[in-house]
Amino acid sequence: MRCPRCQHNNSRVIDSRQADDGRAIRRRRECEKCSFRFTTFERIEAAPLLVIKKNGEREEFNRDKILRGLIRSAEKRPVAMEQMEQIVNHVENRVRSLGENEVSTNLIGEYVMEDLVNLDEIAYIRFASVYRQFKDMSVFLKELQDIVDKAKDTSNNENDA
């Protein structure tokens, strides 16, 4: 493994442990030349998964794109990086468990929003506003009203219990 600091090709593994619920191995490494320590992840190489974009183009599934969208939507919100990575892992697992070679961005976005709405409502609205491309205020207000109604239902159910 190449050192990110000095580009030397040899490093030694200091520690290995499971990550992502056993679907990956996290390795702490140390460069044999400059002693810089860094982390790598080893995953099973899955069959390529293509994403069908809204304009009909196809591109390879990229979990980093989902994470970047989550980071933008959760900016200045009390959402930990670990929580966002869990959403990405959950979405990727759901998509891959479909057993399809191609999946639409619509489905991926819906999966992200299902997880995000329970984590942080503001981040959810931010993500939804970009993902759903709200054309006018009425669509935006309807989405807000849906969240308010869901919160009322949840609190009413808790009060009844």
Side-chain angles (χ1 to χ4, degrees):
M1 182 64 58
R2 184 173 297 205
C3 173
R5 179 186 281 166
C6 73
Q7 306 303 312
H8 186 68
N9 271 333
N10 291 329
S11 62
R12 64 185 180 93
V13 175
I14 298 169
D15 179 47
S16 291
R17 56 182 73 176
Q18 288 187 6
D20 189 17
D21 295 326
R23 289 183 287 275
I25 298 174
R26 177 185 181 272
R27 299 192 193 279
R28 286 293 294 159
R29 296 177 173 271
E30 183 176 67
C31 176
E32 292 179 352
K33 182 176 179 186
C34 71
S35 299
F36 180 71
R37 291 187 175 193
F38 57 100
T39 302
T40 60
F41 289 89
E42 182 179 311
R43 297 181 184 277
I44 293 174
E45 187 173 3
L49 177 63
L50 295 180
V51 175
I52 305 169
K53 297 169 64 171
K54 290 177 182 170
N55 65 6
E57 289 182 22
R58 285 169 169 72
E59 66 179 42
E60 197 164 333
F61 178 83
N62 184 347
R63 54 186 284 121
D64 292 335
K65 282 189 170 186
I66 299 171
L67 186 58
R68 281 195 305 270
L70 286 169
I71 290 169
R72 265 183 262 139
S73 67
E75 189 174 349
K76 297 183 182 175
R77 299 295 305 155
V79 179
M81 187 65 163
E82 182 177 293
Q83 292 171 304
M84 290 184 279
E85 288 172 350
Q86 286 174 349
I87 289 175
V88 173
N89 289 337
H90 186 240
V91 168
E92 182 177 10
N93 291 338
R94 285 182 75 181
V95 167
R96 290 198 183 277
S97 71
L98 295 172
E100 302 289 328
N101 293 332
E102 296 182 345
V103 65
S104 72
T105 56
N106 292 339
L107 185 61
I108 293 171
E110 291 299 325
Y111 286 169
V112 170
M113 289 190 299
E114 284 175 19
D115 289 348
L116 193 55
V117 71
N118 298 320
L119 183 63
D120 187 277
E121 292 169 346
I122 302 300
Y124 167 80
I125 288 295
R126 289 175 177 170
F127 187 91
S129 68
V130 172
Y131 168 72
R132 291 207 172 121
Q133 299 174 340
F134 294 152
K135 301 289 188 234
D136 57 44
M137 188 60 78
S138 65
V139 178
F140 185 73
L141 288 174
K142 183 188 177 317
E143 194 71 37
L144 285 174
Q145 190 61 49
D146 289 347
I147 289 176
V148 170
D149 292 345
K150 182 180 176 188
K152 284 181 186 175
D153 289 345
T154 302
S155 68
N156 287 341
N157 290 341
E158 288 174 358
N159 291 337
D160 293 342

